Amino acid sequence: MKIFSGIQPSGTLHIGNYLGAIKNWVKLQQDNDCVFCIVDLHAITVAYDAKKMPQRIFELAVDLLACGISPQKSILFVQSDVKEHTELGWILSTITPLAELERMTQYKDKSGQHKENINAGLLCYPTLMAADILLYQTQAVPVGQDQKQHVELTRTIAHKFNNTFGETFVIPKPLIYNTGAKVMSLTDPTKKMSKSAGPDSYIALIDEPKIIAKKLAKAVTDPARKRIADKGHPEKCNIFTLHQLFSPAKQISKIDKDCQSAKIGCVGCKKILTKNIAQELAPFRAKRQELLVSPQTVKDILANGAKQAQNQASSMASKVKQVMGLGLSS
Ligand code: TYM
């Protein structure tokens, strides 16, 4: 199956990115044709520091490789290195109804958070994302729940294009797994985990075990459980949900029972979780250290990825221009 997905270079990765997307990418690359993209052009739709961007891109590449993305199995590249993304992004914006863009949840959220900088790029974000996906004849797009709406809009755009100009694009499907598709904030479990609510609200992949322990100690649990003697409701507790994502099955069912019968308190439960998260992330942290000292290797992987991506993207872009009667190609 042809797979495409992307991620923004917007700072450190958190366990939401890992569980909702990257962990699945690593599995999918074993027996699929995968293309993974560092979407720097999406990241500039909010205010950013141009001097810091190269390091952000580099560190995201390091992190993806340290998580297990393999350049032998997948194509890994930076979006702005393949100019067809912006070209097709523009083209698709001309067939996308404004109302569709205005109703996107992410646009509403981000324009609320960045009132001083509601730029047209923020609105057209999904048409660029559609271009990313459609350039590669993508069949499936592994993402977390928050990106589902954008992939659905991509399907609508692709259908419209095919109906207007003739069968051109493969219609992609969102690939969303039952577990980890929406990891919630540590400080407000009614909201998804994201960097915008500050470092206490998320666990970063680079967090040392001590930091993980500190953040989990402050994390919100079952609100109905005030004292250790109160019986807990694991199904209502974000910490228990995280256990389901990081702990072995036997331990999960023991914690479930012990919490309901007040045999274990929140402190004990969080200690076990800290250990399990730290253990799962230990190989990542070790590999990351190795890669950080070999910047040329990482840059070569991205350059080679861009070449391979460009090959695929340019033939699709030519086809699009040809069916639309654009340029000298037609
Ligand atoms: P981005 O960079 O915000 O997030 C990258 C991936 O992480 C997932 N994710 C989560 N999953 C579960 N729980 C959470 N709390 C959580 N937070 C983030 C996201 O769903 C995503 O899969 N627009 C995209 C990037 C993009 C893209 C694409 C994705 C650009 N072009 C084409 C797929 C295909 C974004 O901003 O992801």
Side-chain angles (χ1 to χ4, degrees):
M1 196 160 51
K2 186 69 183 257
I3 304 280
F4 182 97
S5 201
I7 184 160
Q8 294 193 61
S10 52
T12 48
L13 292 177
H14 55 68
I15 56 171
N17 301 127
Y18 175 66
L19 296 166
I22 305 163
K23 199 172 174 186
N24 301 322
W25 300 359
V26 173
K27 282 189 204 137
L28 284 163
Q29 70 180 350
Q30 302 310 329
D31 34 35
N32 293 284
D33 186 0
C34 293
V35 181
F36 299 121
C37 183
I38 295 176
V39 294
D40 53 349
L41 296 168
H42 279 108
I44 62 172
T45 54
V46 295
Y48 75 103
D49 183 345
K51 287 199 200 86
K52 290 193 182 145
M53 188 55 101
Q55 187 64 17
R56 279 190 170 184
I57 292 172
F58 168 72
E59 284 195 27
L60 179 53
V62 164
D63 288 352
L64 294 173
L65 295 166
C67 282
I69 297 299
S70 156
Q72 279 79 41
K73 297 191 178 114
S74 302
I75 296 178
L76 176 66
F77 74 106
V78 182
Q79 188 184 34
S80 66
D81 284 335
V82 178
K83 62 182 177 353
E84 284 78 3
H85 288 248
T86 31
E87 185 179 26
L88 186 60
W90 168 257
I91 289 173
L92 297 180
S93 75
T94 67
I95 62 159
T96 307
L98 193 53
E100 289 279 1
L101 295 172
E102 281 168 342
R103 74 175 179 82
M104 292 291 112
T105 309
Q106 184 175 300
Y107 171 68
K108 289 187 202 155
D109 288 351
K110 286 208 173 167
S111 52
Q113 282 163 19
H114 304 275
K115 285 207 173 71
E116 72 303 334
N117 181 24
I118 306 178
N119 58 74
L122 205 55
L123 182 70
C124 292
Y125 187 110
T127 52
L128 180 59
M129 186 162 155
D132 299 341
I133 296 168
L134 298 177
L135 274 175
Y136 299 92
Q137 318 220 32
T138 304
Q139 293 162 291
V141 187
V143 282
Q145 188 66 36
D146 63 330
Q147 295 300 318
K148 186 173 181 220
Q149 199 182 30
H150 288 161
V151 182
E152 276 164 359
L153 179 56
T154 301
R155 289 168 62 81
T156 306
I157 296 171
H159 274 301
K160 187 167 176 193
F161 188 99
N162 287 353
N163 289 339
T164 313
F165 299 105
E167 220 46 49
T168 308
F169 294 128
V170 170
I171 308 295
K173 280 199 194 97
L175 189 53
I176 296 173
Y177 292 85
N178 291 334
T179 49
K182 191 169 185 188
V183 178
M184 306 313 272
S185 156
L186 299 181
T187 46
D188 179 359
T190 63
K191 301 215 169 85
K192 71 161 187 175
M193 182 176 282
S194 87
K195 282 186 293 281
S196 52
D200 278 351
S201 71
Y202 63 84
I203 292 174
L205 299 194
I206 57 168
D207 282 346
E208 300 278 340
K210 260 193 207 159
I211 307 276
I212 300 177
K214 254 194 193 166
K215 289 184 179 179
L216 284 181
K218 287 190 232 165
V220 173
T221 54
D222 168 12
R225 194 174 188 197
K226 303 238 163 30
R227 282 169 298 262
I228 192 165
D230 296 341
K231 290 184 174 165
H233 308 87
E235 74 289 353
K236 290 187 194 151
C237 180
N238 197 24
I239 298 298
F240 184 68
T241 309
L242 290 174
H243 267 296
Q244 290 173 313
L245 296 165
F246 284 101
S247 302
K250 257 194 183 166
Q251 216 171 38
I252 298 171
S253 58
K254 182 160 172 23
I255 289 169
D256 190 9
K257 273 193 223 128
D258 289 354
C259 174
Q260 288 191 57
S261 57
K263 261 197 197 159
I264 188 171
C266 295
V267 174
C269 182
K270 285 172 169 180
K271 273 194 185 143
I272 302 173
L273 181 62
T274 301
K275 193 169 151 250
N276 292 342
I277 296 180
Q279 199 170 314
E280 172 140 0
L281 299 182
F284 160 81
R285 296 220 317 279
K287 182 88 183 119
R288 184 172 190 272
Q289 291 312 321
E290 275 173 36
L291 289 162
L292 281 174
V293 293
S294 328
Q296 199 50 50
T297 310
V298 176
K299 283 178 189 161
D300 290 347
I301 290 169
L302 293 177
N304 188 42
K307 234 189 254 168
Q308 294 178 62
Q310 174 98 54
N311 264 339
Q312 299 186 23
S314 67
S315 62
M316 181 50 97
S318 302
K319 188 171 168 192
V320 167
K321 282 163 74 179
Q322 195 226 324
V323 297
M324 293 183 82
L326 299 174
L328 278 179
S329 59
S330 36

